[in-house]
Amino acid sequence: MIEPPSGRPVRFGVVGTGGIAAAFTEDLQRLPDAQVVAVGSRSQDTADAFAAAHGIDRAHPTYEGLLTDGGVDVVYVATPHPWHHPVAMQAIASGKAVLVEKPFTMTGDEAQEVADAARRTGTFCMEAMWARFNPHLVRVREVLAAGELGEITTVMADHGQWFAEHRDSRLFAPELGGGALLDLGIYPVSFASMVLGAPTRVTARATSAFTGVDAQTSVLLEHAGGAHAVLTTTLRAVSPTRATIVGTEGRLEIEGPFYAPNAFTVTPREGDPWRYAEPHEGRGLRHEAAEVVRCLRAGLTESPVLPLDETVSIMRTLDEIRRQTAGDLTVR
C-alpha cells in the first residue's frame, strides 16, 4: 500500500480528460496536501491539451502509461463508465491507490471484483462520490448521529438536469452507460444509503429516451423498520435537486443542489428551526481527495465514511432498479 512521506503532497494521476476530470483537477489546487502530477488519455493530443490547461507535468497517450507512472501515488479514474472496472483493476495490479468516479462500475458484480482485488492486495480503494465528503453532509451525519430527528421515517431526493437529445452525446449512449440513473440518479440513491443503509425492497419505473436509455426513473426503497426513500431522476428537466430527511422528532431539508456544498434547515417537531449555512470556496471535489490523503496517511485501505461494502451495496441497488425498468426502455 502507498504510504506517502509526510513531507510531500500526495501525487494524483488522472485517467480521462472529460469535464469531471477537469473539475477535480481544478478543485484539487485548493488542497495543499495533494497535487495532480500526471494525466493519461487515449491520445497524446488530448493528454497534452489537458496537461497544458491545468499545469500538469506529465501527459501520457495511454491509460497504461499513467498507471505505470512511478511518480503517481493515487490514480483517479474519470473515464466513461464502462472503463471504470478495467482501469481500476489495472491500477490495483500496478500497486496504485485508486479513487474511482461514480458509478463505481457498471454492475454490482464488477464492484465486488474491484473491492476483492483491493482487499487482496492491501491497496486503498474508494468510490469518488464527492457529495459524501462535502462539509454540509458531514454536518448532516452529525445531526443524525445525535438523534435530533428521532427515528427516520422518510428520505426524499431528486436530481434532474436538462440535456439536448443528441445521438453523439454520452448521456444518451447505451454503450457508454448513458441514461439518467447512472449519471444523476446515483446521487439520490447514495444519499438514501448514507441515511438508511441498504434497502430491503426496491420498486422502480422508468421512461425511455430515444436511444433506449432511461430518460427518467423513479424509485421507492423500503428499509428495515418501515422507512421509505422516494427518489427521482431525469435528463429532461431541471428539478429542484433537493433532499429531505424526515424523522419522528423533526425534519432536515437540504437546499439544491443537495450534493454540492450548500445550506440546510432543521425544523424540530417542537421548537424553533435552525439553519446550517457556511461559506465555501470551490466546487467541493477536493474533499474526497482530502479523505484519500487522510486515509493514506493513517495507513487505511478503505474510507470509514464510504467503505467498499457500501459502494457494492449501492451498485446492487442500481442493478435491481435497472432490472425492474428494463422492460420500460425502448429505442425509438
Side-chain angles (χ1 to χ4, degrees), residues 243-262:
T244 301
I245 305 169
V246 182
T248 56
E249 298 301 320
R251 70 180 184 272
L252 186 153
E253 298 168 277
I254 306 175
E255 298 172 13
F258 74 87
Y259 53 84
N262 218 321

Side-chain angles (χ1 to χ4, degrees), residues 203-207 214 216-220 321 324-325 327-329:
T203 304
R205 292 299 303 270
T207 301
D214 68 301
Q216 178 162 301
T217 296
S218 296
V219 182
L220 171 63
I321 295 169
Q324 290 189 24
T325 58
D328 298 333
L329 306 179

Side-chain angles (χ1 to χ4, degrees), residues 36-55:
V36 176
V37 299
V39 60
S41 184
R42 287 176 288 182
S43 77
Q44 190 68 65
D45 287 346
T46 55
D48 286 343
F50 190 91
H54 300 286

